[in-house]
Amino acid sequence: MSEFLLERIFNKVDTIPTFPETARRALELLRRDELDFRELEQVIKSDPGIAVNFLKLVNSAAFSLPQKVDSLLKAFMYLGTDQIKLSLLASVSGKYFSDNLTGYGISAKDIWLHSINCAFITEEIANELKLSPEKKESLYIASLLHDLGKIVLDLYTNLEEVKFHEITRENPSWDFLQIEWFVLGVDHGMVGGYLLKKWDFPEDITFAVRAHHDADLMIQKKVSAIVGLSNILANLMGITGGVDAFKYKISSKLIETLGLTTKDLEKIMFKVLKRSMFLENLVV
Ligand SMILES: [Fe+2]
Ligand SMILES: [Fe+2]
């Protein structure tokens, strides 16, 4: 791959909207032991786009609230901290997944559902492993944004569409990552990690996004191991992030690193399936 193309790919990174400061400040408040709803309301209100999306989401069938909620304060009271955080991240991440990824053959809705379900999975794993609230937050964000690099690379998978199809036909056993490397000389984990680093995200998040397809790299840290596992599990459950979904396997090293059993994984997948069913009809 030419230096020129690589440069163009990384330049495209600058055209992706940055992670909203409002969401970042809100997440900071949500991390505190004593949450002040009024303070949180002021922060979320400062970005009308986020506030509107948030209300739209909590009023959707997914949350089955007893009545329509028209104020942020009421929504907070119904939802509680964990749900507020998830709704906030869901509405923010929706902004990145608003276009179909045509080069990858994934619709905007599918990549969004894939990302949200990965967040559900990481949450269930974190509960199983009794992780700290800080780790849980890193996991939410890293799993929601793990495929961000696909948005950047989609432009190029489109440009090189013929070549992509040719390589895929000639190498039926390859996954999308191998094809990305062959055609573009970079993969979407690397591009996503680079982007989040540029936005000053904490190291455990950027590393997890960077490593989510690299079996050796992901097991070096707990957060990256869980994000990598969540991506494979979501794909195996049919909540796919691309046409190569079923080519990814769970390595025994990964399971050993996290100290999980097959039974644990079954339990986690069952819980996630129940939670994810209501998301199907949701449009953010
Ligand atoms: Fe991925
Ligand atoms: Fe993924």
PDB file of all heavy atoms in Angstrom, residues 92 171 226 245:
ATOM      1  N   VAL A  92     -25.126   8.747  21.912  1.00  0.00           N
ATOM      2  CA  VAL A  92     -23.923   9.366  21.348  1.00  0.00           C
ATOM      3  C   VAL A  92     -23.315   8.484  20.257  1.00  0.00           C
ATOM      4  O   VAL A  92     -22.941   8.953  19.185  1.00  0.00           O
ATOM      5  CB  VAL A  92     -22.875   9.634  22.466  1.00  0.00           C
ATOM      6  CG1 VAL A  92     -21.552  10.051  21.869  1.00  0.00           C
ATOM      7  CG2 VAL A  92     -23.388  10.718  23.393  1.00  0.00           C
ATOM      8  N   ASN A 171      -9.421 -15.825  -1.854  1.00  0.00           N
ATOM      9  CA  ASN A 171      -9.013 -16.318  -0.519  1.00  0.00           C
ATOM     10  C   ASN A 171     -10.233 -16.491   0.377  1.00  0.00           C
ATOM     11  O   ASN A 171     -10.440 -15.733   1.325  1.00  0.00           O
ATOM     12  CB  ASN A 171      -8.042 -15.326   0.134  1.00  0.00           C
ATOM     13  CG  ASN A 171      -6.839 -15.053  -0.730  1.00  0.00           C
ATOM     14  OD1 ASN A 171      -5.905 -15.838  -0.785  1.00  0.00           O
ATOM     15  ND2 ASN A 171      -6.880 -13.938  -1.446  1.00  0.00           N
ATOM     16  N   ILE A 226     -11.749  -8.497  27.317  1.00  0.00           N
ATOM     17  CA  ILE A 226     -13.220  -8.541  27.395  1.00  0.00           C
ATOM     18  C   ILE A 226     -13.847  -7.941  26.128  1.00  0.00           C
ATOM     19  O   ILE A 226     -14.816  -8.483  25.597  1.00  0.00           O
ATOM     20  CB  ILE A 226     -13.727  -7.813  28.668  1.00  0.00           C
ATOM     21  CG1 ILE A 226     -13.220  -8.547  29.908  1.00  0.00           C
ATOM     22  CG2 ILE A 226     -15.243  -7.731  28.689  1.00  0.00           C
ATOM     23  CD1 ILE A 226     -13.533  -7.866  31.234  1.00  0.00           C
ATOM     24  N   ALA A 245     -18.399 -12.488   9.943  1.00  0.00           N
ATOM     25  CA  ALA A 245     -18.709 -12.693  11.358  1.00  0.00           C
ATOM     26  C   ALA A 245     -18.356 -14.081  11.881  1.00  0.00           C
ATOM     27  O   ALA A 245     -17.870 -14.222  12.993  1.00  0.00           O
ATOM     28  CB  ALA A 245     -20.180 -12.421  11.603  1.00  0.00           C
TER      29      ALA A 245
END
